[in-house]
């Protein structure tokens, strides 16, 4: 297993060959080991572009795993600029304090799937640092997967049925299952967790036939497959619009594939907007290269072969403990976009009706629903800078924005010094990471004495949730006044009484764990 004492360059042997990592120190002086930029798949380039990933080959000698691999080509969500990265981007990172433990002392493993609208992000430690979680004696794995068109192009043909980015995640999970024991991790106690698109990915893995047996628990933060932004509608038609946008007009999917495999990679980034239909520019989020229900082919194993809602309603879902929630002011992140579109939306409030509903009702009914949404949230006034705080709030208003909880789970470079210097923030970080790692260790049978609250699992009768604030508190029926059906019952199953997960001190916030039986 390599050297059995602390070294600057620890080495271990995995299935592909020998790895050389790095020894690091946490803020309290504790030693941990990092192995970054480990390839889990062959570079998806040339004729492998858009296709399902191929497991990485073995190597000779020692693989230097001290630095992250390249990020996948993407658009920077803050600046809007293209980050070319590299198509050779299918790497993962392992962080462990337990490298030299014997097989009788293997520890729980947590595999994080990053968000970013399926079009940006990576598993790199500048944002997803491991130290907060490692203090609770778990192993953390982060990963890259292909994004936007490179990861989610669908041509409805055997070569490119779609979901390549999801299949990247599956292959990474297989790698973890096969190799994590060499890092001191328990391959029979793996928790997958993710935020936003990563949270939706986690729930897709619950219903995909590809992921059976690859994980034991799941945590979904601010995203599930029921969100209408989490799946692609008309994906094959979008692929042909992409070809036309890049100068290739054809009706032949294989001709289009040859063309798209030949264009520079930078031309396949930031292509969502030019392939959107007029209505899509106003309805819902601008996320369209994402998971699809695949067309079946005899020699291809589908990642997703039926609507996930069908799987949920028919209980065709992996039976593992599930923890899920969202922040109490998610929509702050959309404030500027709402202001820019306010004049149009005030005249056409039917565009606030979700995609899945809008496509299944008449135009008159859609207009009626739009007006009801307007009255519920804004009264007769409509959207303005004054009324928007009723939906999302400004930065000075208390509330946890979309992705805010990540700064309490990972030591992000931009804020970690602030956390270390602020005693209250430091305690909040400890509490939240303790909750997450307790779940990874124990599922929904968490010992009552680990924190100052008895965490009851969610039921459809009471819709229990844990409010995460400066104090932890159990409650029931989160956001009851904002649901269509105020009573208990099946509505809880369909997202009408979802718990709220706010992680900013001083704001009410909630969180739920599902029973596993």
């Amino acid at each position: 297993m390599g050297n059995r004492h602390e070294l600057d360059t620890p080495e271990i042997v995995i299935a592909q060959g020998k790895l050389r990592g790095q020894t690091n120190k946490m803020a309290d002086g504790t030693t941990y080991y990092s192995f970054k930029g480990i390839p889990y798949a062959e570079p998806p380039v040339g004729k492998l572009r858009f296709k399902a990933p191929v497991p990485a080959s073995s190597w000779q000698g020692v693989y230097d795993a001290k630095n992250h691999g390249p990020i996948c080509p993407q658009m920077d969500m803050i600046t809007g600029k293209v980050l070319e990265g590299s198509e050779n981007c299918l790497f993962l990172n392992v962080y462990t304090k337990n490298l030299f433990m014997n097989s009788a002392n293997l520890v729980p493993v947590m595999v994080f799937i990053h968000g970013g609208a399926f079009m940006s992000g990576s598993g790199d430690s500048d944002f997803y640092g491991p130290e907060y979680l490692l203090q609770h004696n778990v192993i953390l794995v982060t990963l890259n997967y292909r994004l936007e068109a490179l990861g989610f192009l669908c041509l409805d043909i055997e070569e490119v049925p779609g979901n390549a980015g999801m299949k990247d995640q599956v292959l990474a999970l297989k790698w973890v299952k096969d190799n994590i024991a060499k890092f001191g991790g328990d391959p029979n106690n793996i928790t997958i967790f993710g935020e936003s698109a990563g949270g939706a990915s986690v729930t897709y893995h619950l219903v995909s036939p590809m992921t059976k047996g690859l994980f034991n628990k799941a945590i979904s933060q601010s995203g599930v497959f029921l969100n209408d932004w989490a799946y692609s509608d008309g994906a094959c038609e979008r692929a042909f619009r992409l070809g036309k946008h890049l100068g290739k007009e054809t009706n032949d999917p294989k001709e289009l594939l040859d063309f798209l495999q030949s264009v520079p990679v930078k031309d396949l980034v930031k292509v969502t907007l030019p392939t959107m239909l007029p209505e899509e520019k106003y309805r819902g989020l601008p996320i369209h290269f994402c998971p699809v229900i695949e067309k079946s082919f005899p020699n291809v194993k589908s990642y997703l072969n039926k609507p996930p809602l069908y799987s949920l309603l028919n209980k065709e879902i992996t039976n593992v403990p599930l923890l899920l929630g969202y922040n109490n002011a998610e929509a702050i992140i959309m404030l500027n976009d709402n202001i820019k579109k306010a004049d149009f939306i005030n005249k056409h409030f039917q565009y606030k009706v979700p995609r899945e509903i809008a496509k299944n009702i008449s135009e008159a009914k859609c207009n009626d629903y739009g007006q009801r949404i307007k009255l519920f949230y804004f009264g007769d006034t409509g959207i303005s800078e004054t009324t928007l705080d009723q939906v999302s709030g400004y930065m000075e208003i208390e509330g946890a924005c979309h992705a805010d909880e990540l700064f309490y789970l990972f030591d992000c470079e931009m804020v970690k010094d602030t956390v270390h210097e602020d005693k209250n923030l430091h305690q909040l970080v400890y509490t939240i990471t303790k909750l997450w790692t307790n779940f990874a260790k124990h599922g929904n049978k968490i010992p009552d004495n680990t924190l100052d609250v008895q965490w009851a699992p969610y039921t459809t009768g009471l819709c229990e949730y844990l409010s995460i604030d400066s104090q932890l508190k159990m409650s029931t029926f989160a956001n009851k006044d904002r649901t269509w059906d105020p009573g208990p019952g099946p509505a809880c199953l369909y997202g009408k009484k979802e718990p709220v997960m706010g992680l900013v001190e001083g704001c009410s916030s909630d969180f739920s764990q599902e029973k596993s039986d």
Side-chain angles (χ1 to χ4, degrees):
M1 194 170 179
N3 302 307
R4 293 195 172 271
H5 46 275
E6 293 180 11
L7 297 173
D8 290 336
T9 55
E11 294 183 359
I12 62 170
V13 178
I14 62 171
Q16 295 154 274
K18 184 177 285 189
L19 282 174
R20 178 181 295 129
Q22 191 167 10
T23 299
N24 311 271
K25 294 289 185 181
M26 294 169 59
D28 63 1
T30 303
T31 296
Y32 74 94
Y33 307 95
S34 62
F35 294 82
K36 301 175 183 176
I38 306 171
Y40 67 85
E42 288 294 292
V45 299
K47 291 300 179 181
L48 290 180
R49 181 186 277 181
F50 308 121
K51 296 185 179 180
V54 176
S57 302
S58 300
W59 55 75
Q60 298 296 318
V62 181
Y63 187 92
D64 190 346
K66 294 181 180 179
N67 300 303
H68 293 296
I71 63 171
C72 295
Q74 60 188 267
M75 180 189 77
D76 187 295
M77 294 288 282
I78 297 175
T79 66
K81 293 181 179 179
V82 171
L83 303 177
E84 192 162 339
S86 172
E87 281 191 85
N88 181 16
C89 64
L90 299 185
F91 300 95
L92 54 77
N93 315 292
V94 181
Y95 306 96
T96 176
K97 295 195 299 181
N98 302 277
L99 189 59
F100 305 124
M101 303 293 287
N102 61 50
S103 58
N105 296 301
L106 300 177
V107 302
V109 181
M110 300 185 73
V111 182
F112 183 73
I113 302 170
H114 71 78
F118 296 107
M119 69 176 74
S120 71
S122 76
D124 289 4
S125 59
D126 57 344
F127 199 95
Y128 300 111
E131 295 187 17
Y132 297 166
L133 291 165
L134 291 189
Q135 66 181 318
H136 302 291
N137 200 35
V138 297
I139 287 177
L140 175 66
V141 180
T142 63
L143 58 101
N144 297 349
Y145 56 95
R146 281 173 286 177
L147 302 165
E148 209 181 12
L150 289 165
F152 295 94
L153 187 82
C154 172
L155 293 174
D156 280 345
I157 58 176
E158 184 174 350
E159 293 86 347
V160 186
N163 295 324
M166 302 305 295
K167 294 168 188 175
D168 293 343
Q169 296 177 19
V170 173
L171 188 56
L173 291 175
K174 288 180 178 177
W175 187 98
V176 172
K177 184 78 171 178
D178 293 341
N179 293 285
I180 203 64
K182 297 296 181 70
F183 298 85
D186 186 351
N188 297 312
N189 191 359
I190 296 171
T191 298
I192 58 173
F193 70 126
E195 183 269 341
S196 194
S201 296
V202 165
T203 59
Y204 274 120
H205 293 318
L206 290 171
V207 296
S208 171
M210 278 190 174
T211 53
K212 299 292 184 183
L214 295 181
F215 59 92
N216 309 92
K217 305 176 187 73
I219 302 174
S220 173
Q221 302 164 214
S222 303
V224 293
F225 60 59
L226 295 174
N227 295 120
D228 66 357
W229 53 259
Y231 65 93
S232 181
D233 193 20
C236 188
E237 292 83 356
R238 191 175 310 279
F240 282 93
R241 292 200 297 274
L242 173 60
K244 184 177 181 180
H245 168 69
L246 296 177
K248 183 68 173 180
E249 194 161 4
T250 177
N251 294 318
D252 184 340
K254 296 195 175 182
E255 183 180 356
L256 178 60
L257 174 59
D258 287 341
F259 170 74
L260 292 176
Q261 287 177 330
S262 71
V263 302
V265 67
K266 63 180 178 61
D267 292 345
L268 296 169
V269 178
K270 202 175 178 180
V271 293
T272 296
L273 185 62
T275 61
M276 286 168 63
L277 297 171
E279 178 178 289
E280 292 173 342
K281 295 177 182 179
Y282 295 100
R283 189 184 306 282
L285 299 179
I287 305 171
H288 297 283
F289 285 100
C290 51
V292 299
I293 300 165
E294 296 176 37
K295 191 175 180 180
S296 297
F297 299 96
N299 300 315
V300 178
K301 186 176 181 181
S302 296
Y303 173 78
L304 195 67
N305 54 17
K306 65 183 70 171
L309 179 58
Y310 176 93
S311 299
L312 178 63
L313 295 177
N314 288 280
K315 299 184 179 180
E316 298 171 356
I317 187 167
T318 299
N319 185 23
V320 297
L322 169 65
L323 179 156
L324 57 84
Y326 61 89
N327 297 333
N328 71 343
E330 294 271 354
I332 288 175
I333 199 171
M334 298 300 297
L335 182 62
N336 289 336
D337 185 66
N338 277 287
I339 291 174
K340 290 177 184 177
K341 296 178 180 177
D343 289 341
F344 179 87
I345 294 297
N346 283 334
K347 298 174 183 176
H348 307 279
F349 240 90
Q350 66 269 26
Y351 283 102
K352 285 299 182 183
V353 177
R355 297 173 193 165
E356 186 66 21
I357 296 175
K359 73 179 183 180
N360 287 297
I361 59 177
S362 67
E363 183 177 352
K365 182 66 71 174
C366 193
N367 290 334
D368 175 53
Y369 283 2
Q371 289 304 307
R372 290 167 68 179
I373 291 171
K374 177 183 178 181
L375 288 172
F376 184 84
Y377 287 105
F378 305 103
D380 294 323
T381 310
I383 298 177
S384 68
E385 292 193 22
T386 301
T387 59
L388 272 172
D389 64 357
Q390 298 174 35
V391 174
S392 54
Y394 296 100
M395 295 307 294
E396 66 270 17
I397 296 176
E398 285 187 343
C401 179
H402 187 70
D404 271 354
E405 84 280 8
L406 295 175
F407 299 98
Y408 300 85
L409 289 169
F410 301 97
D411 52 300
C412 174
E413 289 292 340
M414 70 177 79
V415 298
K416 64 187 300 183
D417 290 340
T418 302
V419 172
H420 288 309
E421 294 167 3
D422 187 310
K423 184 178 179 180
N424 291 331
L425 283 177
H426 193 270
Q427 180 58 46
L428 193 55
V429 164
Y430 180 86
T431 298
I432 292 168
T433 52
K434 183 72 171 174
L435 285 168
W436 262 240
T437 55
N438 273 352
F439 182 81
K441 294 174 183 179
H442 307 289
N444 60 15
K445 296 178 175 63
I446 295 174
D448 293 340
N449 61 352
T450 54
L451 290 167
D452 295 330
V453 65
Q454 184 174 350
W455 189 9
Y458 175 98
T459 65
T460 56
L462 291 176
C463 301
E464 296 91 338
Y465 65 88
L466 177 64
S467 171
I468 300 175
D469 207 321
S470 54
Q471 300 293 321
L472 302 178
K473 179 183 177 182
M474 286 298 305
S475 191
T476 59
F477 297 114
N479 282 12
K480 184 177 180 180
D481 61 331
R482 294 174 62 183
T483 59
W484 292 103
D485 178 6
C492 300
L493 293 176
Y494 307 119
K496 293 185 179 179
K497 295 186 179 66
E498 297 144 315
V500 181
M501 180 178 62
L503 303 179
V504 172
E505 189 169 12
C507 66
S508 178
S509 51
D510 319 314
F511 185 71
S512 292
Q513 53 167 331
E514 292 282 357
K515 288 186 174 181
S516 59
D517 52 8

